[in-house]
Amino acid sequence: MRLSRSFLPTLKENPAEAQIVSHRLMLRAGLIRQTASGIYAWLPAGLKVLRNISQIVREEQDRVDAQEVLMPTLQSADLWRRSGRYDAYGPEMLRIQDRHKRELLYGPTNEEMVTDLFGQTVKSYKDLPQVLYHIQWKFRDEMRPRFGVMRGREFLMKDAYSFDVDYASAVATYRRMMLAYLRTFQRLGVRAVPMRADTGPIGGELSHEFLILAPTGESGVFYDAALEDQDWLDEPVDTNSPEALEAFFTRVTTPYAATDEMHDATAWEAVPEAQRREGRGVEVGHIFYFGTKYTESMGVSVSGADGAQFFPEMGSYGIGVSRLAGAIIEACHDDNGIIWPDSVAPFRAVILNLKSGDELCDAVCEQIYSKAPEDFLYDDRAERAGVKFADADLMGHPWQIVVGPRSAKEGRVELKRRATGERQELSVDEALALVLAG
Amino acid sequence: MRLSRSFLPTLKENPAEAQIVSHRLMLRAGLIRQTASGIYAWLPAGLKVLRNISQIVREEQDRVDAQEVLMPTLQSADLWRRSGRYDAYGPEMLRIQDRHKRELLYGPTNEEMVTDLFGQTVKSYKDLPQVLYHIQWKFRDEMRPRFGVMRGREFLMKDAYSFDVDYASAVATYRRMMLAYLRTFQRLGVRAVPMRADTGPIGGELSHEFLILAPTGESGVFYDAALEDQDWLDEPVDTNSPEALEAFFTRVTTPYAATDEMHDATAWEAVPEAQRREGRGVEVGHIFYFGTKYTESMGVSVSGADGAQFFPEMGSYGIGVSRLAGAIIEACHDDNGIIWPDSVAPFRAVILNLKSGDELCDAVCEQIYSKAPEDFLYDDRAERAGVKFADADLMGHPWQIVVGPRSAKEGRVELKRRATGERQELSVDEALALVLAG
């Protein structure tokens, strides 16, 4: 994409309304614009980020046999009356009346709808387990929306819902999803540490939040460094084996990890001092087992092997997709701007023409651009080199291919890696090969 | 995907609530389920269709340099007060109050928001033309929602908006978009004929609806058969040349084409009888030039070459993405079910195991399945052959790979093309090669 013809507006100044770094950088790098309190439009670069995150989330959900559907944003109040939550839900629920005075709401979550959908379709234990998920916009009418997309009102979320024949099967599903989450966050280029969360009246140990470490996080976190080191992508966990899943779960949940809400000072003392990690964390995911709460209250049963009807056991599994765009920036930036992980970056590389209009520089840039895949950005604007360098750092492209008049004469370019600042002079082909390989 | 483990529920009976064929087939083939009046959940196969359509629409928008953004579903009423449309818009607009009693609405369209977004960002004629589009859910509170997704309340639409320096440039943009639309519909496997539509107070000839021929269409249509024959995909129109665009536009708009609203019986008589095509049409797209209506009313100007401020000329360009899922079925079905065009089909092929549990049949099916790409469905259910044949025809997969005990013994399968009914006996490798090539 040629920057001169693109809708990628960067801002030089820090917007006054933005209190945290990700919000400032998302506005300055032209990723989002606010259209109403807590509601944002995603500009081309921001949408690419959102789509890259969604696609990784989707692939890892599919890998554990979750099936993607798409439920609507608006729901009938009657559905929520069946579970008893319509009156119980607070003012965060956006309640709506249509032209016939029927009550609707903008879905803040989908337990009721998915349980109903499941009940219409699945009639026998033979069709279990089922995991359904969707990636859809939701609305929570926050009292004081702030921090940009980190606490917006209209937000994009992946929410999955599982249906199992019994507790043992539900536990296996829960553990499978925990593995999917660890893989997802790792592919997104961040470390998210699972921490025990409150299970309320359900009880048990099957509720975990996933937190990304970031100085502006909303919770204090305490965890054992052992949790940072594991590579889950190639980990050969046999997800069909309950025993293998149990061993995996034990490994993940044995080292100490807790938010300040659940912190246990005595247990923390037992962690060797060199292993203690303490900081702030942003919640980006939550997995939760809640048994038959919705199947029972909504009267959704299926027939068992013995012919008798029973209520399937459920869990829900959320990832804040739009929130992650902000959370990744919280974790990946420096004073000059965003440092996108390769997997999430809106553009893999930018071609910086330091002297647009110079015949040789233009020719070398066009040559690179003609060979480049679609996710290359070409900064062909008639701007000073300093502006282009600053914008490239601000927007956080993983690679910068710098074409200046001196090196161009020798058919060479400078390749800069944004994350490390490392620079090397290379031929055009060498630079391209490096970028495409990485 | 293995059908036995999939959320792909087919129905044997015609649902009583469905009056038209696409609605019946979408319910029966397990593409959608209604969750409230005029509001639908998309099940896995339906979502794949929606995504395939969206992707083709996206590629053809990108090809004419439109840039994708994503505007939110909810909008501030204040935005619509600026254009003067808030009070003028009828009861189709879903009006909402948030917890602070601020007025919001669920966007039925986005002229106001995109004009505001453009105005915040673009300041000079040098940055024109700009075309911004998004593919987003919208809501129109229809009095009587019906015909499934063809006239739903929550619907997915691609809407693009163009900004040009003057009328001549706006005309070129309009014609470029018309070409993009013809290519889009052709790739979707349907013929959509552009027909002049009312321009209201704007006047001129720059408003066209695109209609797909279907017996249950809402409008009568009359057109010259010449419009059916052109292949637009390889048509070398130089979209940077206003002259080439004009020649293209003349070719498309010269042959007679009109809906019953705009029908001119005298002009129709002049079309040679053999060339006359008369029937019903479903509107799936609309392109419309409206000049400075929104830039002026909302006070959005940019600086011109002479330094003076001016109001950019605008047009809007819609495609009903969720409606197309229904419209394509209206155009592509027979008594047995859907006949998906290859480009839209949720699954490219189904493997029909006529004797699940038979060692040889299972082995041949597994062999094919292991070599198949992700968009193959494997009907591994313990069902009678008749049920599997009927479901395959109903769901409309372009290819059926039939594995029965007799042919399996000889290492052969029967390959059926859904659209023609043509069958041939082939080796496994021959059948796979044919399916993957087509």
Side-chain angles (χ1 to χ4, degrees), chain A residues 1 4-9 33-37 39-44 47 50-51 58 65 67-74 76 79 91-92 94-100 102 104 106 113 117-118 120-122 127 130 132 136-137 139 141-144 153-154, chain B residues 1 4-9 33-37 39-44 47 50-51 58 65 67-74 76 79 91-92 94-100 102 104 106 113 117-118 120-122 127 130 132 136-137 139 141-144 153-154:
Chain A
M1 192 178 275
S4 67
R5 302 189 56 184
S6 301
F7 200 73
L8 299 173
R33 288 291 179 267
Q34 181 170 296
T35 60
S37 170
I39 305 181
Y40 293 86
W42 295 75
L43 306 190
L47 178 58
L50 213 50
R51 196 172 288 147
R58 177 177 293 126
D65 291 327
Q67 294 189 65
E68 190 175 6
V69 298
L70 186 60
M71 292 177 272
T73 61
L74 297 196
S76 156
L79 204 51
E92 280 77 28
L94 190 68
R95 294 159 202 264
I96 306 171
Q97 271 204 349
D98 73 8
R99 66 191 291 171
H100 299 297
R102 281 176 301 216
L104 299 172
Y106 200 121
M113 188 177 279
L117 209 55
F118 168 88
Q120 283 179 38
T121 301
V122 178
D127 295 325
Q130 287 275 358
L132 300 176
Q136 178 61 295
W137 293 91
F139 199 91
D141 200 359
E142 296 274 352
M143 182 71 178
R144 272 182 295 277
R153 294 198 293 171
E154 188 170 326
Chain B
M1 193 178 274
S4 67
R5 302 191 56 184
S6 303
F7 200 73
L8 298 173
R33 288 291 178 268
Q34 181 170 294
T35 59
S37 170
I39 305 181
Y40 293 86
W42 296 74
L43 307 191
L47 178 58
L50 212 51
R51 196 171 287 148
R58 178 176 293 128
D65 291 327
Q67 294 188 66
E68 190 174 8
V69 297
L70 186 60
M71 291 177 272
T73 60
L74 296 197
S76 155
L79 204 53
E92 280 77 29
L94 190 68
R95 293 158 204 262
I96 305 172
Q97 273 205 347
D98 72 9
R99 64 191 291 171
H100 299 296
R102 282 177 301 217
L104 300 172
Y106 200 121
M113 188 177 278
L117 209 54
F118 169 88
Q120 284 179 39
T121 301
V122 179
D127 296 324
Q130 286 275 359
L132 300 176
Q136 177 62 295
W137 292 91
F139 199 92
D141 200 359
E142 297 275 351
M143 183 71 177
R144 270 182 294 278
R153 295 198 293 170
E154 187 171 328

Side-chain angles (χ1 to χ4, degrees), chain A residues 234-261:
Chain A
D234 293 321
E235 182 69 19
V237 179
D238 176 0
T239 55
N240 293 315
S241 151
E243 294 73 27
L245 287 166
E246 181 170 9
F248 151 76
F249 185 73
T250 303
R251 256 174 61 205
V252 177
T253 55
T254 301
Y256 188 87
T259 60
D260 38 17
E261 278 175 12

